[in-house]
Amino acid sequence: MFLNKYNDAQAVIKPWSEVNMFCATGKASILFCQAIMTFDYHVIQDGLAALDLAMEVCNKKRRKQGLLASVSSILVGRRMDDCSNEELQAEVFHAGCNLLSAILTFIQVL
């Protein structure tokens, strides 16, 4: 038997996982690891749901842009100099959650 403590880690993170992007991403990462190790359909679904929740939490912290700023960032590129540390962390976490979600979706199709 493996001596992992996934349930203990989830119990610590769970109260904060809907508010704190670090905890939300941590919970999603734990469920991602479980899904990768088991390849169980239900665990993969739980992992995808946790990743979606983590992306929602990160979206609340990301920089909000208007239509004109969005179009100009596509054409010219986005300036990260004006972003706060929290906004940059949210961008990185959001990108990581997207990557993990793509991996789980790919595994789910197999």
Side-chain angles (χ1 to χ4, degrees):
M1 183 173 153
F2 295 111
L3 296 175
N4 59 44
K5 297 187 177 183
Y6 284 116
N7 294 333
D8 295 342
Q10 284 180 345
V12 171
I13 293 174
K14 187 176 182 176
W16 300 99
S17 64
E18 294 183 8
V19 183
N20 187 326
M21 70 179 166
F22 295 100
C23 292
T25 306
K27 178 183 175 185
S29 298
I30 290 170
L31 289 171
F32 172 81
C33 290
Q34 285 180 331
I36 291 294
M37 288 189 288
T38 62
F39 284 88
D40 182 25
Y41 178 78
H42 298 293
V43 178
I44 291 173
Q45 290 299 316
D46 292 343
L48 287 170
L51 285 165
D52 287 341
L53 177 65
M55 284 190 274
E56 286 178 21
V57 172
C58 290
N59 276 335
K60 292 176 187 173
K61 305 290 183 181
R62 291 173 70 196
R63 174 168 277 203
K64 308 294 186 273
Q65 295 189 59
L67 179 64
L68 184 60
S70 296
V71 171
S72 68
S73 69
I74 291 170
L75 297 175
V76 179
R78 192 162 173 204
R79 289 194 49 162
M80 292 297 178
D81 298 339
D82 301 334
C83 294
S84 68
N85 283 339
E86 187 176 41
E87 290 170 341
L88 290 174
Q89 289 171 348
E91 291 291 334
V92 171
F93 283 12
H94 190 268
C97 288
N98 274 327
L99 178 64
L100 296 179
S101 180
I103 292 170
L104 281 185
T105 302
F106 179 75
I107 287 174
Q108 181 182 21
V109 172
L110 295 178

